[in-house]
Amino acid sequence: MDFEKRYIKQLDWLILLILLGLGLFSYLGISGSAPGVATANRQLMWYAIGFGVLFCTLIIDYRVFRQLSYVVYAIGLVLLFGVFFTKAINNATSWYNLGVVLFQPSEPMKIFTIIAAAHYMSKREEKLGKPYYLYEWWPVFLIVGVPLLMIFKQPDLGTALVFCAILATMLIVGGIRVRHMITFSGIAALGVGLVSYVYMYHKDDIFFKLIKPYQWARIESWLNPYLDPVGQGFQLLQSLIAIGSGQLTGKGLNTATQASLLWVPVGESDFIFTVIGERLGFIGAGIMMILFFVLVYRMIRIAMECNDPFGAYVVSGVVGMLTFQIFENIGMTIQLMPITGLPLPFISYGGSSLLTNFLTIGVVLNIGMRKQKLSFD
């Protein structure tokens, strides 16, 4: 154990206040959805447990996480492999049914992967410096790519994309060169062209073996929800109606009809931003997004002030993870992004996601508390 008074002084209390504010928005959003107040009260329980996890994380020096990084990473891979032998829920084998709750191992695997990748990158930098050639990055691609492919196979495209965001952010902070980024952009462009060709000429024999029909239907309904307004496009259309009806100040806490009357499916989770937009309007939703912005900004400051490369890489990975999830979740409710099953961090209902986010922020605060430690030793 390693906890001193000077660490408490270094603690970013503003981040803790932001989490409390997000907890209020979470309660208001969930209580206004179809499941109602009972589910919102359970979210408060998860929040209480989450803060407990966060404070427990602060007690341990974050460098212990570096020592255990490959161990927890291996445990995460085993858990990801195990879900393939479970019963599918909503067309995906992504959860362990523990009776009382559902546990989604891909959630903690995010922070496990970040810590493992940060361990390798910092160790490599300390011994040999930052990679110069593209092939020198292959261990990082392997560390992130293995869980990414396993999660994509479940299938869970949304969470797989989060791992892509984590990888991209950590590579940029790790000093990947511009020409390498141009190379990746070219490969991505070729990939889009190849997918388009396969869809046009080999739709049934190849395309729908790689992408599930329901996943493609989501993309089509995102581009034009009126193609199937009572089917795949229903959710997006109702989301747009609900958010638009909130206008500037919202309908109020007791008059949000779209969300509370089942017109917005999974309003307590995937589409919780829709509920908040309807109940609290542009002002309420804007305040929530400001809280997210300040949260990300404070984490970026911690990364920039950190004397330890491992800590800086961990925080940068967390920033990439949370920023992508926030952008994707909010974007999909307003037709800016395709619809995925990604929850809105700290807002959507769900124990696995919420506890993982609290654990993640606990690690970030831990690094922030001890970022000046090297100057004292």
Side-chain angles (χ1 to χ4, degrees), residues 38-60:
T39 302
N41 290 337
R42 286 197 295 271
Q43 182 78 340
L44 292 180
M45 177 195 70
W46 287 118
Y47 248 88
I49 297 173
F51 272 107
V53 170
L54 186 151
F55 287 117
C56 287
T57 306
L58 296 180
I59 298 174
I60 307 170

Side-chain angles (χ1 to χ4, degrees), residues 80 84 91-94 106 144-161 163-164 207 209-212 214-215:
L80 284 180
F84 291 113
N91 299 315
T93 53
S94 302
S106 60
V144 180
V146 171
L148 188 157
L149 293 175
M150 294 176 71
I151 292 169
F152 181 79
K153 182 65 176 176
Q154 289 179 0
D156 186 352
L157 179 60
T159 304
L161 291 175
F163 280 77
C164 293
F207 186 81
K209 291 182 179 179
L210 298 175
I211 298 179
K212 302 295 182 181
Y214 76 90
Q215 292 175 325

Side-chain angles (χ1 to χ4, degrees), residues 168-184:
T169 306
M170 297 186 74
L171 289 179
I172 292 173
V173 174
I176 190 169
R177 300 185 179 277
V178 175
R179 65 173 180 269
H180 297 158
M181 298 175 64
I182 294 174
T183 300
F184 287 128

Side-chain angles (χ1 to χ4, degrees), residues 30-311:
I30 296 172
S31 62
S33 65
V37 176
T39 302
N41 290 337
R42 286 197 295 271
Q43 182 78 340
L44 292 180
M45 177 195 70
W46 287 118
Y47 248 88
I49 297 173
F51 272 107
V53 170
L54 186 151
F55 287 117
C56 287
T57 306
L58 296 180
I59 298 174
I60 307 170
D61 192 313
Y62 73 89
R63 279 166 277 266
V64 174
F65 303 142
R66 177 175 179 172
Q67 297 170 3
L68 299 175
S69 59
Y70 294 146
V71 175
V72 295
Y73 177 79
I75 293 173
L77 290 181
V78 171
L79 292 174
L80 284 180
F81 181 74
V83 294
F84 291 113
F85 301 96
T86 62
K87 184 178 180 181
I89 301 175
N90 295 330
N91 299 315
T93 53
S94 302
W95 294 270
Y96 287 103
N97 190 340
L98 303 181
V100 180
V101 296
L102 295 175
F103 170 63
Q104 189 174 5
S106 60
E107 289 294 333
M109 193 64 201
K110 297 172 186 174
I111 186 61
F112 294 166
T113 301
I114 290 172
I115 292 174
H119 182 180
Y120 170 79
M121 293 173 71
S122 59
K123 187 176 181 179
R124 204 266 184 209
E125 182 176 331
E126 292 165 1
K127 290 185 175 181
L128 302 172
K130 293 184 177 182
Y132 183 82
Y133 297 103
L134 184 59
Y135 70 85
E136 294 178 295
W137 290 103
W138 74 264
V140 182
F141 283 96
L142 182 64
I143 291 171
V144 180
V146 171
L148 188 157
L149 293 175
M150 294 176 71
I151 292 169
F152 181 79
K153 182 65 176 176
Q154 289 179 0
D156 186 352
L157 179 60
T159 304
L161 291 175
V162 175
F163 280 77
C164 293
I166 291 171
L167 176 62
T169 306
M170 297 186 74
L171 289 179
I172 292 173
V173 174
I176 190 169
R177 300 185 179 277
V178 175
R179 65 173 180 269
H180 297 158
M181 298 175 64
I182 294 174
T183 300
F184 287 128
S185 299
I187 293 174
L190 289 175
V192 172
L194 179 61
V195 170
S196 301
Y197 171 80
V198 172
Y199 175 75
M200 293 295 295
Y201 300 103
H202 300 279
K203 182 185 298 185
D204 296 325
D205 55 335
I206 297 179
F207 186 81
F208 283 126
K209 291 182 179 179
L210 298 175
I211 298 179
K212 302 295 182 181
Y214 76 90
Q215 292 175 325
W216 181 246
R218 284 183 176 182
I219 296 176
E220 289 184 318
S221 65
W222 162 55
L223 296 174
N224 186 0
Y226 291 99
L227 289 175
D228 188 10
V230 296
Q232 288 290 338
F234 177 81
Q235 195 172 27
L236 178 56
L237 288 174
Q238 295 303 318
S239 175
L240 295 173
I241 292 171
I243 293 174
S245 66
Q247 299 186 51
L248 183 63
T249 58
K251 290 182 175 179
L253 299 181
N254 298 317
T255 56
T257 55
Q258 295 292 122
S260 59
L261 298 178
L262 284 175
W263 289 100
V264 180
V266 290
E268 77 283 3
S269 180
D270 298 353
F271 275 72
I272 194 167
F273 182 79
T274 301
V275 184
I276 292 172
E278 184 184 21
R279 300 189 90 188
L280 305 179
F282 177 81
I283 293 177
I287 293 173
M288 186 188 71
M289 287 190 283
I290 290 173
L291 291 179
F292 277 129
F293 176 83
V294 177
L295 174 64
V296 171
Y297 168 73
R298 299 296 291 189
M299 290 192 294
I300 292 174
R301 282 195 57 182
I302 290 175
M304 294 178 66
E305 295 172 358
C306 188
N307 290 321
D308 180 14
F310 171 74

